[in-house]
Amino acid sequence: MSYRTLAFFGILLVVQSHFVTPERSPVDDHKFDTNNKLYKGTLAAFVKFATQWGQRYGQVIEKVIEDLKAEGKGHENVDEIEQLQEIVELSKHLKGDSDDETLHNIMDFDEEEINTDEILEQYADMDHILALVYKDGKDVVKEFYRNLVKFVHGFSKALEKYTKDMSEEERAEHKQFFEWFNKFEELKQKNDVIAQSHMFLDFFKLFKPNI
């Protein structure tokens, strides 16, 4: 299970829409140095954000599992409960020995898990499960979205400052980076934080293409 799968529960409830699988940004042939201050600062901030909210969502989902069992639906929803338990376990093991290892844990997911429609199809009564998530973690869901907005906006400001300070030579070397950056900025103008969050993980691939 991936962090995207975990975060899906909260975002789906807040914006009442499904994740759309993001297009993969092309990898820049001239990758950036990972000693870059923007990379290090963004990585540290994201790891803190992801592990904190991963754990909090894990606690909410544990309550959902208890609710399903208390309703006498444990046998009826055995597959759903098993998958929810996998998410709980994920939330407990996101943190690695380093920020880079934690990032790898977060991004190490099966391609099948990116597609929200496929996730939804795995559950016999997703509406009921989402209702339980909202009942058990309404404040967590809302706080998660508020913090997601702050995180994306903070990253966007740092990114704008970084690109503004780049020389013409650097800009010429990293054309694909600027294609990604321009798309990210277009989404900002549309105030589409969810779509920006989809593009965000591709930022790290500009530094580590094989992550």
Side-chain angles (χ1 to χ4, degrees):
M1 290 289 175
S2 69
Y3 176 72
R4 289 182 191 226
T5 304
L6 184 64
F8 152 76
F9 286 95
I11 295 178
L12 177 60
L13 286 165
V14 174
V15 302
Q16 297 182 347
S17 63
H18 295 174
F19 264 4
V20 177
T21 304
E23 293 182 2
R24 290 295 178 189
S25 297
V27 175
D28 199 327
D29 291 335
H30 301 277
K31 67 177 182 178
F32 293 94
D33 186 349
T34 54
N35 287 321
N36 179 292
K37 288 184 178 180
L38 177 64
Y39 174 84
K40 285 188 171 182
T42 301
L43 176 60
F46 176 62
V47 164
K48 181 179 180 180
F49 177 87
T51 53
Q52 174 190 354
W53 288 101
Q55 290 173 359
R56 292 187 67 178
Y57 263 105
Q59 292 168 359
V60 171
I61 294 172
E62 281 184 317
K63 294 179 181 178
V64 171
I65 293 172
E66 292 174 3
D67 286 343
L68 287 171
K69 291 180 177 179
E71 292 173 351
K73 295 187 176 183
H75 178 71
E76 179 183 338
N77 297 291
V78 62
D79 291 337
E80 289 89 333
I81 288 177
E82 182 178 336
Q83 289 168 346
L84 291 174
Q85 287 173 331
E86 289 179 9
I87 294 175
V88 171
E89 285 304 307
L90 166 71
S91 71
K92 296 177 180 178
H93 300 97
L94 281 178
K95 186 68 175 175
D97 293 333
S98 66
D99 285 349
D100 282 319
E101 183 179 336
T102 302
L103 176 64
H104 184 273
N105 291 342
I106 293 169
M107 298 184 73
D108 185 21
F109 56 86
D110 293 330
E111 289 298 325
E112 293 180 358
E113 293 176 2
I114 301 176
N115 190 303
T116 303
D117 289 334
E118 292 181 7
I119 295 172
L120 288 169
E121 290 173 1
Q122 294 176 9
Y123 293 85
D125 191 355
M126 175 56 80
D127 288 340
H128 181 60
I129 291 178
L130 291 177
L132 291 177
V133 173
Y134 197 69
K135 176 183 76 69
D136 292 326
K138 181 178 179 180
D139 292 339
V140 174
V141 169
K142 291 183 176 180
E143 190 178 350
F144 169 78
Y145 184 68
R146 286 195 296 268
N147 279 270
L148 176 66
V149 170
K150 290 179 182 178
F151 179 86
V152 172
H153 284 177
F155 170 69
S156 183
K157 286 183 179 180
L159 189 61
E160 288 173 3
K161 183 180 185 305
Y162 177 76
T163 55
K164 184 178 180 180
D165 294 339
M166 290 179 73
S167 67
E168 290 301 320
E169 182 180 354
E170 288 175 315
R171 289 171 180 266
E173 287 182 353
H174 300 288
K175 291 181 180 179
Q176 291 178 335
F177 164 78
F178 275 95
E179 289 179 6
W180 173 86
F181 171 71
N182 289 333
K183 290 180 181 178
F184 192 83
E185 285 293 286
E186 287 175 8
L187 294 173
K188 178 186 176 182
Q189 297 303 318
K190 296 177 181 178
N191 200 29
D192 194 342
V193 175
I194 301 302
Q196 280 185 294
S197 70
H198 290 163
M199 287 191 66
F200 171 75
L201 288 179
D202 286 332
F203 166 78
F204 295 110
K205 291 182 178 292
L206 295 167
F207 294 83
K208 290 189 171 183
N210 297 322
I211 192 169

